[in-house]
Amino acid sequence: SGGDPFMASASTFMHYAWYHYALVRTGNTWKMYINGALEATGTYSGAFNQALGGMRVGASGPWDGAQAYSKGNVSNLRIVKGTAVYTSAFTPPTEPLTAISGTSLLINGTDASIIDASQSSALTLVGNTKSSTTQIKYGNSSMYFDGTGDYLNCGTMPTLSADFTIEFWYY
C-alpha cells in the first residue's frame, strides 16, 4: 500500500508442494524470488508500509479494503533488516534458516510451537492458527492457516526503509 510495488508471478505452482519465497529490497529495487528464481521486480523508494495492522503472515488487509486469507503451511519464516540476503538467482536453503545479523523475526518450527527465535516480536495467533506436524519442511512443525480468518500478527516490526529480506517456505 502507499506505493509499495505490487509484484506477481506468472508461473503456475502445484498444490501439495513446498516453495521457497523471498522478497528482497536493495536500494529502491524490490525483487521476488520463488525457489531461487527471479519472478518479478519493482521499484519503490518509500518504506515497507506496516501502519495498518502491523506485519501479518497468512492474511492481507485491512489496507486492501477486504481480508484475504491464505490456506496452507508456512515454515522457516525470517525477516532480515539491513541486508539483501539474495541479489541474484540462488539455490534455496537446504537446512533450517538461522538468525543472521539484522534478523528481526525467525520462526522455524523446531519445537512444535510458533515462537520467534529472534525474540524480537510479540506474536499473536488469530483465528485458529496453529502449529502443525502434518506438513513439515524443517524442524518438527510448520504454521497452519485454514484460509478462514487465520493469521499470525507479528505486531509492528522495525521500519523496513532500506535493504531487507523476507523469506519463508510455503506449502
Side-chain angles (χ1 to χ4, degrees):
S1 65
D4 296 348
F6 178 82
M7 294 181 286
S9 172
S11 298
T12 301
F13 300 97
M14 295 176 43
H15 291 286
Y16 312 114
W18 285 101
Y19 292 92
H20 181 266
Y21 291 82
L23 173 64
V24 180
R25 178 181 181 170
T26 305
N28 294 334
T29 301
W30 299 52
K31 296 180 180 181
M32 179 178 65
Y33 296 94
I34 301 178
N35 284 345
L38 181 63
E39 288 284 327
T41 60
T43 303
Y44 178 60
S45 62
F48 185 68
N49 188 349
Q50 304 175 57
L52 300 171
M55 177 75 71
R56 293 181 178 189
V57 177
S60 68
W63 52 264
D64 64 353
Q67 293 287 345
Y69 300 100
S70 299
K71 181 176 182 179
N73 296 71
V74 172
S75 179
N76 279 252
L77 169 66
R78 178 171 68 182
I79 298 176
V80 180
K81 180 182 177 184
T83 303
V85 176
Y86 310 107
T87 56
S88 62
F90 61 94
T91 300
T94 58
E95 296 183 4
L97 298 172
T98 59
I100 60 176
S101 179
T103 298
S104 299
L105 180 70
L106 177 61
I107 302 173
N108 52 17
T110 56
D111 60 2
S113 298
I114 300 174
I115 297 172
D116 177 12
S118 75
Q119 300 180 355
S120 301
S121 302
L123 304 177
T124 304
L125 304 179
V126 179
N128 61 350
T129 301
K130 60 186 172 187
S131 177
S132 171
T133 57
T134 303
Q135 298 301 328
I136 302 167
K137 180 63 182 173
Y138 298 117
N140 302 323
S141 66
S142 62
M143 292 180 281
Y144 176 69
F145 305 97
D146 67 11
T148 58
D150 299 349
Y151 64 93
L152 175 69
N153 188 335
C154 303
T156 302
M157 300 291 294
T159 300
L160 300 174
S161 58
D163 296 357
F164 68 82
T165 302
I166 300 173
E167 67 180 309
F168 57 92
W169 286 92
Y170 185 79
Y171 180 90

